[in-house]
Amino acid sequence: MKANIFTRNDRRNTWVMIAIAFAIVISLEYATPSEYVFGYLYTGPILLTNYRLGRKANLQVTLTASVLTLLNLVIPPEQFSLPTLANRLIAVLALLVTGWLSDRIRHYQEAIANQQTQLLYQTRLASMREDFVSTLTHDLKTPLLGAIETIKSFQRGQFGECSFAQRKVLEMMIRSHQSTLQLVQTLLDIYHYDSEGLKLQLTPVNLGSLVEEVIATLTELAASRRVHITLNYGTSNFRQNLWVNGDALQLQRVFTNLLINAINHSPRGGKINVILESDSHQQVVKILDSGQGIPTDELAHLFERFYQGSSDRQSQGSGLGLYLSRQIIAAHGGKIWAENLFPSGALFGFRLPTSPVTSENS
């Protein structure tokens, strides 16, 4: 509460000041005829009381000032007219309104102060939560890397020969640990980008070559899910160069996130079609899968951080890869989106501004 910031000495000094102010106004009131109304001067002590002493003291001072203003009609005893009575009633009304308004203002100020305190607390709590998550994910990298290297040592036969079944289990463990490591790294990147912004190393990048490299690295994962990935260039059957001015590493992460998302949500025997399209102003990438599709009401939320939709498709993901992809594409001045395909499947795409390159680069 605001009044609590004042010490006992401050409150005592305030009462002294109010008493002096009352003495001055009373001397003016009772030393002059009753038609001279000085009761309006009580508004000063009322405002001071409300600011420094609180609601109860404000009520006491307001009522006391009102009574003293009316009492001057009969003390000292004298005849008074109806206009004099009306003036004093108006003065009393002004004092009561002043006390009420000052109390409301104090109430609003306290409410605002409480909200500001809560907002500051929530901001600090959010900062502490993000620092905790960032520290925790950073510390998780070391044991994960150690576990992966240990499993690889088993695979190489450093602890004895492994049977075919054991090697399959080891391969599955490595993939699981690598997926967890990738998730940890994504978390770290998200908190880093949110706090410091995404810093790009811009160079001419050929999206065609980049997506071919990503598809090659995901071939084994796709094969394990029996998912077939195809790449084409729109209406053309010939390979094309799609140049953009971008950060090759970050754009590679976007391709990886979108393709892994498509692989994870495609049924066994499903197909993923990567389409690259180009015009004079922009390069467009579309990734179509044959999964369950996306409910219309969830399309607008897919790229939010930690978003988990109600459908089976959305509940399988962490909600981080798409969020990070949106950050990267936005930092490149592009746009990323998703569409539901009828009768099944989904499309994830992004477009980037075209970058003119020399014929040597082409």
Side-chain angles (χ1 to χ4, degrees), residues 20-33:
I20 293 174
F22 261 74
I24 294 174
V25 178
I26 289 172
S27 64
L28 292 173
E29 280 273 59
Y30 290 87
T32 57

Side-chain angles (χ1 to χ4, degrees), residues 149-218:
E149 290 303 317
T150 301
I151 296 173
K152 288 182 177 180
S153 297
F154 277 99
Q155 278 187 319
R156 291 191 294 265
Q158 294 183 3
F159 302 100
E161 289 295 327
C162 294
S163 66
F164 177 79
Q166 289 173 332
R167 286 197 297 271
K168 286 294 183 181
V169 172
L170 292 174
E171 290 174 2
M172 182 180 64
M173 292 174 64
I174 289 178
R175 285 198 300 269
S176 176
H177 281 68
Q178 287 174 338
S179 298
T180 305
L181 184 62
Q182 183 180 15
L183 177 60
V184 168
Q185 186 60 50
T186 300
L187 269 172
L188 283 174
D189 290 337
I190 285 174
Y191 285 109
H192 174 74
Y193 297 157
D194 285 348
S195 60
E196 300 182 14
L198 180 57
K199 298 178 178 60
L200 302 176
Q201 303 295 326
L202 299 177
T203 59
V205 177
N206 182 7
L207 295 181
S209 300
L210 199 60
V211 72
E212 289 175 357
E213 295 174 5
V214 174
I215 291 175
T217 61
L218 296 176

Side-chain angles (χ1 to χ4, degrees), residues 35-76:
E35 58 264 22
Y36 296 100
V37 182
F38 290 94
Y40 294 103
L41 298 179
Y42 286 122
T43 56
I46 291 174
L47 294 175
L48 180 63
T49 303
N50 178 73
Y51 176 71
R52 301 182 70 110
L53 299 178
R55 169 177 289 184
K56 183 177 180 181
N58 175 62
L59 178 62
Q60 293 173 346
V61 171
T62 300
L63 293 177
T64 301
S66 300
V67 170
L68 289 174
T69 300
L70 291 175
L71 198 62
N72 190 222
L73 289 171
V74 294
I75 300 177

